Amino acid sequence: MSEQRLVHVFEELADALVPGFDTTDFLRTLTDRTVALVAIDAAGILLTDERGHLASVASTTEPAHTLEQLEVADARGPCYDCFTTGRPLVNLGRDATSARWPRFQHLSGEVGFGAVHAVPLQLGNQVIGSLNMFCVATGSLPAEDVDTSRALARIATIGLLHNRTARNAQAEAAQLRQALTSRIIIEQAKGMLAEGAGCTPAVAFDALRRYARTHGRPLHDIAAEVVDGTLTPPTSG
């Protein structure tokens, strides 16, 4: 593997990390390039969502996807354990997997894989998944290939966590804008109701809130109807 080729792949993955990038396409590119750069026959990704649910989200072949699905269903296996421990598990032939993960060992033999390797998608103490590599033949990965796969996994982790942070920030900003808009409308409705009924703003607000709760509707919606003149809640019980 040439240094130039490795740099090109890193640049390709970095270029994909634009705001709002397509996570599925990015992870499929990651698995494709892992197969191209490392001495393996298939690759896949186990990834958690923001709620901690683990799933097989990208695989270069159906047999790799099948193995990953088994591990998620059983909550055990080399790739699953790599995720839960945050430690790489490499150079595992079928003999090495038979005692610890007999169902995985049996299925990997059926689909034609002789060895499995997994490195965590990890940044600091945070592990969000694993990059999994499968080989038809038994044997060990060269140390250079292990280092390459770990570097690819690190790039992916940084991109995914950055994307999640950006999405959360956008959601929080949207919620703040909505809260500010609601407050303005509620203040307008409170003032209009107080003026029309000849009561204090506090009494008007209690009337708005009581009407919303009685009718099972959002306070913002009641206030908006007061502002546009389609509703006048009573200011006394």
Side-chain angles (χ1 to χ4, degrees):
M1 175 179 57
S2 69
E3 182 178 343
Q4 183 178 2
R5 186 180 181 190
L6 182 60
V7 169
H8 175 73
V9 170
F10 284 165
E11 288 178 344
E12 180 185 13
L13 292 171
D15 288 344
L17 299 176
V18 296
F21 73 90
D22 186 322
T23 301
T24 301
D25 182 62
F26 172 73
L27 292 177
R28 184 53 194 262
T29 299
L30 173 68
T31 55
D32 286 343
R33 299 304 176 264
T34 302
V35 172
L37 290 174
V38 179
I40 58 174
D41 299 296
I45 297 284
L46 291 181
L47 185 69
T48 56
D49 60 19
E50 286 88 342
R51 298 179 179 180
H53 298 149
L54 189 67
S56 173
V57 295
S59 303
T60 57
T61 67
E62 190 58 33
H65 179 59
T66 299
L67 280 172
E68 289 182 330
Q69 284 186 309
L70 173 71
E71 293 189 71
V72 172
D74 285 357
R76 61 183 307 175
C79 309
Y80 184 91
D81 284 12
C82 172
F83 159 68
T84 57
T85 64
R87 295 194 299 269
L89 291 173
V90 298
N91 305 326
L92 299 174
R94 284 209 297 270
D95 290 342
T97 62
S98 60
R100 294 175 63 182
W101 311 291
R103 276 168 53 83
F104 177 89
Q105 187 269 349
H106 176 74
L107 183 58
S108 64
E110 284 191 344
V111 299
F113 289 130
V116 61
H117 320 274
V119 295
L121 298 178
Q122 181 176 25
L123 187 63
N125 293 325
Q126 187 171 9
V127 183
I128 61 172
S130 62
L131 169 61
N132 313 308
M133 297 161 284
F134 305 91
C135 299
V136 173
T138 58
S140 300
L141 278 182
E144 180 186 55
D145 282 358
V146 175
D147 290 342
T148 297
S149 66
R150 297 190 70 174
L152 291 168
R154 187 172 181 83
I155 288 178
T157 305
I158 292 171
L160 291 166
L161 289 176
H162 177 75
N163 189 47
R164 289 181 181 181
T165 300
R167 288 204 311 268
N168 291 337
Q170 290 170 358
E172 289 177 1
Q175 290 171 358
L176 178 59
R177 287 194 299 269
Q178 183 179 9
L180 291 174
T181 300
S182 294
R183 179 178 178 181
I184 292 171
I185 292 175
I186 290 168
E187 288 297 319
Q188 289 176 339
K190 185 170 67 173
M192 291 174 63
L193 187 59
E195 183 178 358
C199 64
T200 66
V203 170
F205 179 73
D206 286 342
L208 290 171
R209 185 169 54 184
R210 183 171 58 250
Y211 189 92
R213 290 177 176 176
T214 300
H215 292 81
R217 298 179 59 196
L219 179 60
H220 172 273
D221 291 353
I222 300 302
E225 292 180 10
V226 171
V227 170
D228 65 25
T230 60
L231 176 66
T232 303
T235 53
S236 60

